[in-house]
Amino acid sequence: GLGMEVSFSENGDSDWGKRWGKSSLKDQYGDKGPLGAILSGLEHFEGKSLLVGACDMPLVDEILIRTLVNQRDAGQAVSLFCHGEEERLEPMLSIWEPLSIPYLREAIRHDQLSLMKLIRSMSIHLIPHDQPQAFLNINDPADYESFIQGQTGS
């Protein structure tokens, strides 16, 4: 294993942690999107880094997570993957360091909730990755059907 504690960030009445036999963290910022969930996690695990992974990315595997963990830079606010010539950022699989907390608090205080804008305003460590399909996310039933058809070749 990677020696990590796994918890689910939950907002509302969801029970993902219970379903998977893992602990759950209440999102203390409710309506602040990913920024609130990330800050809640960093505050809960005081002084520790936080690996963030979205639940709607079915192609993320152990190798990708190990790459992120092994190549992270704890001296930067966030370590995350990028791909392509334009270095497209993939923030939904990333490691956030405690030094990002003041930036997150400030963004939430001013209701500036764009994850990408916040990331671009901090010191970040980019990890190049040449397979953008690894970061596919599924947001609705149509995405899911398309993903299943692609997996089965039909």
Side-chain angles (χ1 to χ4, degrees), residues 51-148:
L51 189 149
V52 171
C55 64
D56 62 355
M57 296 171 62
L59 298 178
V60 169
D61 60 12
E62 183 178 348
I63 294 169
L64 195 58
I65 293 171
R66 281 187 185 279
T67 300
L68 176 60
V69 169
N70 292 335
Q71 294 187 27
R72 84 179 240 247
D73 181 344
Q76 303 297 316
V78 183
S79 294
L80 68 160
F81 289 105
C82 66
H83 55 85
E85 289 182 23
E86 69 283 353
E87 292 188 329
R88 179 186 163 128
L89 304 181
E90 293 294 345
M92 297 315 294
L93 182 62
S94 53
I95 296 179
W96 291 70
E97 304 297 340
L99 65 96
S100 67
I101 291 173
Y103 296 95
L104 287 157
R105 286 181 177 154
E106 186 73 9
I108 287 171
R109 181 177 14 249
H110 295 289
D111 218 29
Q112 296 173 345
L113 305 178
S114 168
L115 186 60
M116 296 302 268
K117 282 184 182 177
L118 177 63
I119 287 172
R120 288 191 170 102
S121 74
M122 298 185 295
S123 61
I124 59 174
H125 175 62
L126 297 178
I127 303 167
H129 195 272
D130 62 359
Q131 297 178 336
Q133 67 274 18
F135 305 100
L136 169 79
N137 65 3
I138 296 177
N139 295 311
D140 57 42
D143 289 348
Y144 175 74
E145 288 301 321
S146 178
F147 171 70
I148 293 300

Side-chain angles (χ1 to χ4, degrees), residues 15-76:
D15 62 353
W16 282 103
K18 189 182 209 181
R19 274 189 220 175
W20 293 96
K22 302 293 181 186
S23 65
S24 296
L25 301 177
K26 175 86 171 117
D27 182 346
Q28 299 300 314
Y29 298 90
D31 63 345
K32 303 300 179 184
L35 296 187
I38 292 166
L39 182 55
S40 293
L42 284 165
E43 290 174 340
H44 178 82
F45 295 109
E46 190 175 342
K48 295 183 180 176
S49 303
L50 185 71
L51 189 149
V52 171
C55 64
D56 62 355
M57 296 171 62
L59 298 178
V60 169
D61 60 12
E62 183 178 348
I63 294 169
L64 195 58
I65 293 171
R66 281 187 185 279
T67 300
L68 176 60
V69 169
N70 292 335
Q71 294 187 27
R72 84 179 240 247
D73 181 344
Q76 303 297 316

